[in-house]
Amino acid sequence: MTRLAARLGLELPLLQAGMGAVAGPGLCAEVSRAGAGGTLALYREAPGRAARLVREVAAATGRPFGVNVVPEVTGPAGCLDQLRAVLPELPRGCFVTSFGLPDTDAARAVRAAGHPLVVQVGTPADADTALGRGAAVLVLQGTEAGGHLLGRLPVDLLLAAVRARHPQAVLAVAGGIATGKDLAEAVARGADGAMAGTLFVPAAESAAHPKFKRRVVEAVADDTLITSLFDIGWPNRPHRVLRNPLTGTSERAPATFLATTRVDGRAYPVPRYSAAAPSEATTGRIEEMAMYCGRSCTRVTAPHPAAVTVARVRLEYERAHRPPRGSRQLHRIQER
Ligand SMILES: Cc1cc2nc3c(=O)[nH]c(=O)nc-3n(C[C@H](O)[C@H](O)[C@H](O)COP(=O)(O)O)c2cc1C
């Protein structure tokens, strides 16, 4: 039991990242039922639909789960609208995760509703600010991570810097976590647990497009790169994606529509260079879209049900903590 697991009521100190186009109610509920921190991505969801999705998860699991907001994308007013819609639906013991700093109103709304606030940051200065706004848990994102990047430090340097400033804070790391051994090593370096995104993209319950899932399974770390290319809808934030035909050319093509995503029966056109990732509801030129993926993909294998992935991570984590056979026997002899 780490402080992260104790604080959020989890059996394993692992959070599944809220991921737009990937982490819908199915993935969130399955991960939560398996004892880890399943999280529902709200990304750009309209408040009414967001509330409906939260009710769907709450009906499917009695265990704690999270809802994830991205204030930088929704803007402060949009974020508050989403929170006002979902907080009354969120069962006791569930938590809210924010990608980047929530403003003081958003942070206050989460705390006033009695839910732990989990804030993902990428710099020591933002870690200080997040704690000042009442974050119960910090997620420290390193540059190994898939998706949009909040800082410029590799995860171990960020962890060391923040742990030195805040010895008592509950700290999870994000970036580079795909196995129980990765998790145990992060805990040995001073983390209280971790958040993983890429690990869950290929899960059976993930809403990612099948081509996206396949590419994550096949990829190794060097098939990913940090770029600022996919900036339509989310500007000024570098992101780690899988290499594709667009990342390989220096000239920018016109931002014409290359795909369509359906939400609640409505079709939304996707321009070239859109920040939107391809979901199972997307049709078109999938291979030219932003497929967010972390360097941990090297250790992400076949697509399994999320519960199998969580069970495997748990087993590997427990094994990594268990002392080797010889030392256990020695211990028993010493006890006699
Ligand atoms: C496909 C994908 C989509 C993501 N979307 C979000 C998001 O909507 N909200 C969020 O807080 N983080 C998002 N992230 C970033 C994660 O929070 C986290 O930093 C990252 O997954 C950790 O690195 P890893 O992918 O190597 O495990 C996304 C990551 C990926 C891979």
Side-chain angles (χ1 to χ4, degrees):
M1 192 64 133
T2 69
R3 286 186 292 189
L4 176 74
R7 186 68 188 82
L8 299 182
L10 309 176
E11 290 178 6
L12 182 69
L14 180 71
L15 298 170
Q16 164 247 310
M19 294 178 278
V22 174
L27 181 63
C28 170
E30 252 342 270
V31 172
S32 149
R33 280 215 294 250
T39 302
L40 176 72
L42 296 189
Y43 193 54
R44 287 181 180 281
E45 299 290 1
R49 186 176 139 86
R52 183 152 48 83
L53 297 177
V54 171
R55 281 197 292 274
E56 210 177 300
V57 181
T61 177
R63 294 242 175 105
F65 64 91
V67 290
N68 170 252
V69 292
V70 187
E72 189 170 79
V73 166
T74 54
C79 181
L80 211 49
D81 285 347
Q82 282 181 333
L83 288 172
R84 286 194 180 121
V86 301
L87 287 173
E89 308 292 342
L90 208 54
R92 257 178 83 87
C94 289
F95 51 95
V96 174
T97 72
S98 176
F99 185 80
L101 292 172
D103 71 2
T104 47
D105 288 344
R108 203 177 300 125
V110 174
R111 283 186 286 115
H115 298 285
L117 174 63
V118 178
V119 180
Q120 187 166 181
V121 296
T123 66
D126 281 356
D128 297 349
T129 308
L131 289 172
R133 291 187 189 167
V137 173
L138 297 183
V139 178
L140 307 176
Q141 188 205 44
T143 46
E144 301 88 340
H148 290 77
L149 296 177
L150 291 157
R152 290 160 180 253
L153 289 176
V155 75
D156 285 351
L157 292 185
L158 183 60
L159 173 63
V162 177
R163 181 52 87 207
R165 288 152 89 115
H166 303 287
Q168 299 308 322
V170 183
L171 305 179
V173 291
I177 306 293
T179 66
K181 187 166 167 281
D182 295 338
L183 179 59
E185 285 168 2
V187 169
R189 281 194 293 269
D192 299 296
M195 173 182 277
T198 301
L199 173 65
F200 291 103
V201 171
E205 300 84 356
S206 143
H209 192 281
K211 282 187 182 165
F212 183 11
K213 293 185 179 186
R214 199 172 323 130
R215 280 219 59 201
V216 170
V217 168
E218 288 169 0
V220 295
D222 287 345
D223 294 326
T224 72
L225 86 170
I226 298 175
T227 177
S228 295
L229 206 58
F230 298 97
D231 59 356
I232 296 182
W234 192 343
N236 309 318
R237 181 63 72 189
H239 32 273
R240 185 179 286 281
V241 293
L242 287 168
R243 293 176 195 276
N244 76 5
L246 297 190
T247 64
T249 55
S250 52
E251 248 171 62
R252 195 162 166 114
T256 47
F257 296 132
L258 50 74
T260 305
T261 292
R262 299 193 82 83
V263 180
D264 278 347
R266 261 188 75 178
Y268 295 85
V270 180
R272 185 178 284 113
Y273 307 118
S274 166
S279 80
E280 59 196 2
T282 310
T283 51
R285 287 153 71 168
I286 305 299
E287 51 294 328
E288 290 181 41
M289 290 181 65
M291 297 193 197
Y292 302 107
C293 182
R295 290 185 60 83
S296 61
C297 62
T298 304
R299 295 183 300 290
V300 174
T301 51
H304 290 297
V308 174
T309 299
V310 173
R312 173 183 54 82
V313 171
R314 186 195 295 220
L315 200 69
E316 293 165 345
Y317 177 67
E318 285 167 0
R319 255 193 219 137
H321 271 304
R322 210 179 293 151
R325 244 183 111 68
S327 80
R328 258 189 296 156
Q329 276 165 351
L330 184 67
H331 194 65
R332 254 183 254 134
I333 293 163
Q334 282 168 342
E335 275 177 347
R336 270 191 235 139

